[in-house]
Amino acid sequence: AQSVTQLDSQVPVFEEAPVELRCNYSSSVSVYLFWYVQYPNQGLQLLLKYLSGSTLVKGINGFEAEFNKSQTSFHLRKPSVHISDTAEYFCAVSETSSASKIIFGSGTRLSIRP
Amino acid sequence: DTAVSQTPKYLVTQMGNDKSIKCEQNLGHDTMYWYKQDSKKFLKIMFSYNNKELIINETVPNRFSPKSPDKAHLNLHINSLELGDSAVYFCASTQTAGNTEAFFGQGTRLTVV
């Protein structure tokens, strides 16, 4: 069975500073990887996904993530954050053979300071 | 038009009551899901239906019963509500069972008092 670990429950960052949200996964088979964002009192929205091919994937709102198979990581990055990026970010994984079941990490709250 | 819509958005009810949450998607997707998000924001899958057929049924108390009258709707009925059922419940859909992008509803905040 697969699992996802987001080590940082909260990440405070100053506006216009870079940010990295860490995600590690565990699985005995090949996986798809995702980052979702949840703004306050809203549902989840897909930021980006890795299915295959290039290990660097770009998403919406200037975010990108890099798949590192040897380190089983899929860290999310943004070079310069804005106040509007304040939200909860979820890393998620699903097995390629059974993509129906998306397993989410515990989330990282990104708070932007002016 | 909202792609995945849930009703109600807020639900406050007493212990022991029975309640339902409704979900509809207008994306033409085949697969729908229910997730539970607890107070610590942890998201856990509960059920998944593909074209009205149950394909995922996680370890959930049998007081929770999903119903899919057609592939555009997936409702969640909860019997004998308990305090621990308080959470935000999210409905989601994907184009197919193996598709990778899930679209989420706005959530239903259930509070059991």
Side-chain angles (χ1 to χ4, degrees), chain A residues 8-78:
Chain A
D8 306 307
S9 59
Q10 293 187 62
V11 173
V13 182
F14 285 106
E15 196 173 13
E16 298 183 8
V19 70
E20 179 180 83
L21 305 183
R22 297 181 294 167
C23 173
N24 287 88
Y25 70 93
S26 172
S27 178
S28 56
V29 298
S30 58
V31 297
Y32 298 134
L33 293 156
F34 313 85
W35 276 99
Y36 282 83
V37 59
Q38 183 179 27
Y39 297 106
N41 298 315
Q42 293 190 27
L44 280 75
Q45 180 184 1
L46 183 68
L47 266 181
L48 49 79
K49 60 184 176 183
Y50 171 79
L51 304 182
S52 65
S54 173
T55 56
L56 183 63
V57 291
K58 294 187 184 298
I60 60 171
N61 302 341
F63 284 92
E64 64 180 34
E66 185 153 20
F67 170 54
N68 187 320
K69 189 174 181 180
S70 61
Q71 296 186 6
T72 60
S73 67
F74 191 57
H75 301 330
L76 181 71
R77 301 186 184 99
K78 186 169 182 178

Side-chain angles (χ1 to χ4, degrees), chain B residues 32-66:
Chain B
M32 297 183 72
Y33 310 78
W34 278 111
Y35 280 85
K36 178 181 179 180
Q37 185 175 48
D38 63 23
S39 58
K40 295 183 178 178
K41 301 285 188 181
F42 185 68
L43 269 163
K44 183 174 166 51
I45 190 168
M46 300 173 71
F47 302 104
S48 175
Y49 270 75
N50 183 56
N51 224 346
K52 302 193 297 178
E53 182 182 338
L54 182 66
I55 57 172
I56 294 174
N57 186 355
E58 291 295 288
T59 308
V60 175
N62 57 16
R63 298 181 295 104
F64 290 79
S65 53

